[in-house]
Amino acid sequence: MFDEVDTIVLADGVLVDGDVVCDPVRAGRYPVNATARFVLCRTGRELGVVAAELADAHGLDRGQTRDDVLAFAFRLNRLLLVNVRHGRGRVRRWWAWLAVALRLAPVAGIPGGAWRRVQLDTRTPLTAAATTLRAVRGRAVGVAAATALLVAQTAALVGAAPVSAPLAVGIGVGAGLALHEAGHAAALGGAPAALVLAGPRTFVVHRALVGTRRRLVAAAGPTAPLVPAAAVATVARPLGSAVLALAACALGGHAVGLTVATGDGRAACSG
Amino acid sequence: MLWLRALALGAVACGVLAYTAATVTAIVAASSGAVLELRIGPVVVLVVEQLDDRGGAVTTLGPGLILVALAGGVVNAAAALAIGWRERRRIR
């Protein structure tokens, strides 16, 4: 959901070169027309102001132009070419989202939020992993908290469980997410990459890879959490710690990503 | 080579999942005083025995976990071949 007080900024590395928008991370080139160029040359300014200028410049209806500019900004964001800086506070945005969600509820629609693209430093595997962990930490903490809450509610329904059990599962799930994406980034071998937070989805984007490198990058993501999973499980048994064992299970769940049941697994197994 | 990669990755995936699941099962069974014995034929996967005299329990993860991993690898390889066959058929 975009608002006329929001601004768009080109994602790191993306640039406008004449009639083309270039994305070096994905080696993509997107031709644009004069109207698109008008909007793209005014990034950093409120979308409502840009729309008003566009309408005045071409004698267009301001209301329709505003809607078109917002739709265009949404499209650019979905193409991962721009990030959005919201003009309203988080609480007001949540209320606005809720209002639209309630109106869409009869048709089971969910309003889409802005996606965010964060540049990664892939010069070495260590910097790639470090920048990925930094970029995904907020999402990992959120996922961990939500998982812990869900497990705690389930445990409360089925019977007694230690308070630490939901926490362990939550930490395992959150850490697994972070390690999974860091694994993908670390295996890229210097190829430009960015982390994308797209609604409930998190993924690393990069140019198309082929052959062994493609399989290696695909396998590295699910494999990264498995090493700590095995280590934690090995430590848990002599200690008799069910909490540690649950955390190991949560981390070990990423092993499914190595099978053909997932996109990573199919890419890793591909010929 | 597709089937070999799929076999190896499937075995690793199934092996880790089985290991972590067996570990948490063993610990929970041991702490709750249960006796557990999981085997594939004569091959031990997981055994939990209670020690009556001293208290506590002994947990054993056996080579059956390797069989579980291999089975997972075979299933993954078969699925990979099936997907590959279906893709080639679709392209034709």
Side-chain angles (χ1 to χ4, degrees):
Chain A
M1 278 180 52
F2 288 24
D3 200 294
E4 56 189 9
V5 297
D6 295 338
T7 57
I8 55 172
V9 289
L10 291 175
D12 284 340
V14 175
L15 53 97
V16 179
D17 182 16
D19 294 340
V20 178
V21 177
C22 304
D23 182 3
V25 167
R26 289 178 295 168
R29 293 171 65 84
Y30 303 84
V32 293
N33 60 21
T35 307
R37 221 171 38 248
F38 185 100
V39 174
L40 285 166
C41 289
R42 287 160 177 78
T43 55
R45 299 168 67 178
E46 287 185 6
L47 292 171
V49 170
V50 174
E53 287 179 10
L54 180 62
D56 292 342
H58 297 279
L60 304 169
D61 173 66
R62 277 199 170 195
Q64 185 60 54
T65 308
R66 185 195 70 104
D67 291 345
D68 290 343
V69 166
L70 290 179
F72 179 57
F74 182 84
R75 180 74 181 133
L76 288 174
N77 182 247
R78 285 301 186 267
L79 286 173
L80 304 176
L81 297 174
V82 301
N83 285 325
V84 177
R85 289 188 191 142
H86 293 291
R88 299 196 198 280
R90 194 182 293 259
V91 173
R92 287 187 68 177
R93 277 190 283 122
W94 272 105
W95 276 117
W97 185 92
L98 197 59
V100 175
L102 286 171
R103 295 208 316 258
L104 291 176
V107 294
I110 299 175
W115 292 3
R116 194 154 59 93
R117 167 174 154 166
V118 181
Q119 189 75 358
L120 301 176
D121 179 359
T122 54
R123 282 173 295 176
T124 68
L126 199 59
T127 55
T131 50
T132 305
L133 290 173
R134 190 166 61 232
V136 80
R137 67 184 188 279
R139 171 66 56 97
V141 168
V143 165
T147 304
L149 199 61
L150 193 65
V151 171
Q153 285 184 326
T154 308
L157 285 171
V158 299
V163 171
S164 49
L167 199 61
V169 175
I171 290 173
V173 170
L177 168 67
L179 290 170
H180 184 121
E181 301 307 331
H184 281 312
L188 281 168
L195 182 83
V196 176
L197 304 171
R201 295 163 50 213
T202 310
F203 52 92
V204 173
V205 290
H206 50 79
R207 69 170 191 268
L209 302 171
V210 294
T212 306
R213 176 62 64 182
R214 176 172 183 254
R215 290 192 288 271
L216 192 66
V217 171
T223 303
L226 302 191
V227 174
V232 171
T234 303
V235 166
R237 206 153 66 91
L239 294 178
S241 171
V243 169
L244 280 180
L246 282 171
C249 273
L251 284 166
H254 282 264
V256 175
L258 289 175
T259 70
V260 293
T262 66
D264 281 343
R266 284 192 292 276
C269 296
S270 64
Chain B
M1 292 300 286
L2 164 71
W3 67 271
L4 192 59
R5 272 193 295 273
L7 178 72
L9 291 174
V12 168
C14 217
V16 171
L17 286 169
Y19 180 62
T20 52
T23 300
V24 75
T25 305
I27 292 172
V28 170
S31 60
S32 63
V35 172
L36 192 62
E37 195 168 326
L38 292 174
R39 293 175 183 270
I40 301 175
V43 184
V44 168
V45 177
L46 168 65
V47 171
V48 178
E49 298 168 290
Q50 299 295 330
L51 301 171
D52 294 321
D53 49 352
R54 286 177 288 148
V58 173
T59 63
T60 306
L61 301 183
L65 286 174
I66 298 174
L67 290 182
V68 172
L70 283 173
V74 167
V75 170
N76 195 49
L81 287 172
I83 290 170
W85 176 79
R86 204 171 61 190
E87 286 293 310
R88 282 190 298 275
R89 202 170 164 214
R90 192 170 58 85
I91 290 167
R92 278 196 224 113

